[in-house]
């Protein structure tokens, strides 16, 4: 396969040669660098590459070019190179233009000139853009998944692979001619699906995610008999705790049942996270945090569900599904939230068959040309709606309230209102879901009047809030009436009684079991924001140090 291309556009010959030289020095082994000296020339280069079917990874254009500015040129790139990353080269005075480019044309990054030395100012920005592009556009994959489009188990496996950044080739037994051939070569039939063919030649018939993780060499077992800190959950809070704990010398293990990132990892865009003016996807944030934690030596145990917690003297033991356990001197619980189930007829039969709770940023393309309904009106729903609208023919938002402004950030509302293929139906609830093997229609009820209407749809995505994932903790960990974990001084009741067993005051994030801390959305009185979850994860490690020093 031809090398992916980096296209640079700058009307100043000396600058054009300089940036092309610097990019070739750093990326020439893996990418072809092509330069153009005007916006029109750059677009012509992209047209030729598109005709040849050659991938374009990055387009870097100077803003101050005569005839066509860099922003004007980059606004047309998506038609010729849909997956390319867009980088604008600017002067300090062009800051407002760059911000407008982020909001209006989906600019990925801007970089102020001059960029000398490139090792400090150019390469870090380009590294991030090319890493993101490479993850989203793998040139090949030896993992193959064969199954039915509307199979819940197939969907779970594909989601697990995608969220763990494992590239795979997908074959639909009903649409792809090669699916039957591959099943035959593997000695399997359509009744065995989903079938996963691994690079080592193994055939996995209807495997669990643990089976797949083990077969692909992901770590599914802890390596040490005892850790300083065990972290349950690899969402923003858990990953932050892992980074700080491992970087400060604590032997650290993180146990995650699904994939790094938690619910935040499925977000199509986190646009209010400090330090990322362009915003970033939840998957990108999770991948960066995971790499950071592993760089410092934290272990990641995947596809394992923690089902119990108990104390054994100074040691805390986590029981894993399947009978194994992990022991640690301290524990941070960061299991976050589970989606609340939609209370409508037919939901159980249709879940995983066109009805899904949440949607990953990379899953929206499966809805190309279809009609999609989204239940919910919070920020997570708004981000998903905008992502789905890039592919779907029509997206219908079903909101219980009479205004999106009551529950959604204004910047999302404005984009939804401006999109031609997005419709919002207010004061509307789903009463029933039906279809022959997969979702084909929903019954909508108008709140107040009770009037019902049956409408056709291809997909139904649900974002109606979440409940804390804490039932596995058992009775020894005090929780409030809604299931959120009670921590710190809140363990003392208004009548003077206490759920705390020691003479000392519990640390701020400490639960009713000494040495067990809670961080992130599952903790009562938490802020339910990515940034606050990251902060609590870091704070929990500081408190773990205090606990370990005192024991």
């Amino acid at each position: 396969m031809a090398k992916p291309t980096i296209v640079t556009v700058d009307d100043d010959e000396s600058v054009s040669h300089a940036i092309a030289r610097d990019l070739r020095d750093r990326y020439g082994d893996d990418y072809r660098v092509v330069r153009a000296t005007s916006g029109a020339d750059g677009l012509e280069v992209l047209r030729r590459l598109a005709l040849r079917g050659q991938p374009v990874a990055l387009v870097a254009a100077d803003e101050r070019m005569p005839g066509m500015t860099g922003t004007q040129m980059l606004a047309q790139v998506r038609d010729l190179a849909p997956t390319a990353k867009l980088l604008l080269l600017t002067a300090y005075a062009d800051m407002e233009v760059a911000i407008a480019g982020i909001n209006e044309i989906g600019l990925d990054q801007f970089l102020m000139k001059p960029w000398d030395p490139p090792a400090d100012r150019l390469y870090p920005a380009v590294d991030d853009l090319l890493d993101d592009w490479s993850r989203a556009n793998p040139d090949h994959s030896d993992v193959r998944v064969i199954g039915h489009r509307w199979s819940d188990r197939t969907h779970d496996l594909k989601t697990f692979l995608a969220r763990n950044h494992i590239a795979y080739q997908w074959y639909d037994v009903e649409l792809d001619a090669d699916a039957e051939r591959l099943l035959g070569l593997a000695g399997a039939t359509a009744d065995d699906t989903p079938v996963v063919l691994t690079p080592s030649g193994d055939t996995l018939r209807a495997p669990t995610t643990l089976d797949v993780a083990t077969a692909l060499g992901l770590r599914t077992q802890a390596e040490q008999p005892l850790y300083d800190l065990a972290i349950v959950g690899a969402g923003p809070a858990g990953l932050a705790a892992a980074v700080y704990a491992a970087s400060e010398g604590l032997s650290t293990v993180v146990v995650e049942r699904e994939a790094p990132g938690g619910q935040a990892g499925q977000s199509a865009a986190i646009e209010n996270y400090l330090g990322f003016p362009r915003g970033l996807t939840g998957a990108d944030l999770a991948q960066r945090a995971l790499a950071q934690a592993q760089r410092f030596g934290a272990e990641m145990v995947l596809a394992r569900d923690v089902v119990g917690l108990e104390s054994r003297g100074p040691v805390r033991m986590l029981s894993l599904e399947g009978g194994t356990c992990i022991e640690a001197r301290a524990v941070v619980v960061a299991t976050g939230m589970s989606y609340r189930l939609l209370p409508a007829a037919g939901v159980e039969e249709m879940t995983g068959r066109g009805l899904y709770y949440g949607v990953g940023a990379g899953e929206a393309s499966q809805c190309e040309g279809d009609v999609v309904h989204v239940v919910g009106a919070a920020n997570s729903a708004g981000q998903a709606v905008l992502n789905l609208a890039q592919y779907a023919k029509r997206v219908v938002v079903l909101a219980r309230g009479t205004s999106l402004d009551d529950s959604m950030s204004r910047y999302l509302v404005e984009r939804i209102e401006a999109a031609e293929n997005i419709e919002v139906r207010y004061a509307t609830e789903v009463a029933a879901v039906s279809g022959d093997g997969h979702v084909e229609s929903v019954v909508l009820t108008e709140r107040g009047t009770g009037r019902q209407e049956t409408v056709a749809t291809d997909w139904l995505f649900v974002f109606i809030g979440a409940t804390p994932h804490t039932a596995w903790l058992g009775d020894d960990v005090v929780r409030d009436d809604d299931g959120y974990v009670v921590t710190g001084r809140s363990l003392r009741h208004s009548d003077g009684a206490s759920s705390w067993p020691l003479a000392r005051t519990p640390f701020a994030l400490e639960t009713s079991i000494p040495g067990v801390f809670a961080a992130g959305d599952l903790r009562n009185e938490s802020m339910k924001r990515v940034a606050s979850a990251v902060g609590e994860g870091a704070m929990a490690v500081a408190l773990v140090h205090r606990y370990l020093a005192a024991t």
Side-chain angles (χ1 to χ4, degrees), residues 230-242 253-262 299-302 304-306 318 331-337 469 472 519 522:
I231 301 166
V232 188
L239 289 173
V253 63
V254 185
V255 188
E256 170 55 51
R257 62 175 179 164
E258 295 176 354
E299 287 184 30
M300 178 68 61
V301 175
L302 289 170
R304 301 304 299 266
D305 199 7
V306 179
L318 300 172
V331 171
V332 171
V333 180
T335 45
M337 311 287 282
H469 182 58
W472 63 275
L522 60 70

Side-chain angles (χ1 to χ4, degrees), residues 171-528:
Y171 298 87
D172 190 318
V173 294
E174 296 177 349
L175 301 176
D176 297 324
D178 283 342
E180 185 175 350
R181 178 183 63 83
L182 288 171
L183 287 174
L185 291 173
T189 69
D191 292 337
D192 296 319
T193 57
V195 170
V196 178
L197 306 180
T198 72
S200 62
D202 292 333
T203 299
L204 307 180
R205 295 171 174 81
T208 64
T209 54
L210 178 59
D211 294 333
V212 172
T214 302
L216 295 180
L218 300 181
R219 181 174 290 169
T220 59
Q221 300 283 350
E223 294 192 349
Q224 299 183 35
L226 178 67
Y227 294 85
D228 292 323
L229 177 63
I231 301 166
V232 188
L239 289 173
V243 168
Y244 281 92
S247 69
E248 293 168 9
L250 297 179
S251 59
T252 304
V253 63
V254 185
V255 188
E256 170 55 51
R257 62 175 179 164
E258 295 176 354
Q263 284 194 13
Q266 294 182 279
S267 176
I270 301 174
E271 299 188 69
N272 55 2
Y273 193 71
L274 183 66
F276 291 86
R278 169 66 176 86
L280 74 170
T281 67
D284 187 17
L285 177 62
Q287 185 71 6
R288 291 167 186 260
L290 176 62
Q292 199 172 12
Q294 291 178 324
R295 173 192 165 206
F296 288 123
E299 287 184 30
M300 178 68 61
V301 175
L302 289 170
R304 301 304 299 266
D305 199 7
V306 179
V307 296
L309 167 70
E310 60 181 278
S311 299
R312 293 184 173 180
V315 171
R316 306 293 175 258
M317 188 188 78
L318 300 172
S319 299
L320 307 186
E321 190 174 32
T324 60
C325 65
I326 293 175
E327 293 187 337
R329 297 168 63 204
V331 171
V332 171
V333 180
T335 45
M337 311 287 282
S338 299
Y339 283 112
R340 188 173 294 130
L341 301 183
L342 181 68
V347 163
E348 186 174 347
E349 296 81 358
M350 292 296 106
T351 298
R353 294 174 169 82
L355 187 159
Y356 303 104
Y357 293 88
V359 57
E363 299 172 29
S365 59
Q366 66 186 339
C367 304
E368 188 163 4
D370 292 341
V371 176
V372 177
H373 284 68
V374 176
V375 184
N379 278 359
S380 57
Q383 291 160 350
V385 165
L386 292 169
N387 190 36
L388 290 163
Q390 297 180 63
Y391 304 93
K393 178 173 65 176
R394 186 164 63 98
V395 179
V396 182
V397 182
L398 305 175
R400 296 178 76 247
T402 57
S403 171
L404 293 181
D405 286 302
D406 294 338
S407 54
M408 189 180 296
S409 295
R410 187 60 203 170
Y411 74 93
L412 292 172
V413 176
E414 290 175 351
R415 294 181 195 174
I416 288 173
E417 292 175 343
E420 295 182 356
N421 64 333
I422 298 177
E423 172 190 353
V424 181
R425 296 189 58 161
Y426 295 105
T428 302
E429 296 179 326
V430 175
V433 187
S434 62
D436 184 9
H438 61 89
V439 171
E440 294 177 321
S441 65
V442 292
V443 177
L444 304 180
T445 300
E446 186 178 277
R447 300 186 72 199
T449 67
R451 186 176 67 86
Q452 290 193 330
E453 176 187 3
T454 300
V455 298
T457 192
D458 300 297
W459 305 84
L460 183 66
F461 295 102
V462 181
F463 297 83
I464 57 171
T467 56
H469 182 58
T470 57
W472 63 275
L473 287 168
D475 295 337
D476 290 340
V477 174
V478 174
R479 300 184 289 281
D480 65 18
D481 293 340
D482 295 317
Y484 292 94
V485 176
V486 179
T487 59
R489 295 183 181 276
S490 296
L491 292 168
R492 293 191 178 277
H493 308 305
S494 59
D495 60 2
S498 175
S499 301
W500 178 247
L502 302 183
R504 69 167 174 84
T505 301
F507 298 123
L509 302 181
E510 201 165 16
T511 71
S512 52
I513 298 180
V516 177
F517 299 81
D521 290 355
L522 60 70
R523 193 181 66 81
N524 75 332
E525 300 180 356
S526 63
M527 294 293 294
K528 311 297 186 289

Side-chain angles (χ1 to χ4, degrees), residues 71 88 95-108 278:
T71 304
L88 185 69
M95 180 68 74
E96 290 187 7
V97 173
I99 298 300
I102 290 173
N103 293 331
E104 295 171 9
I105 68 171
L107 184 67
D108 292 292
R278 169 66 176 86

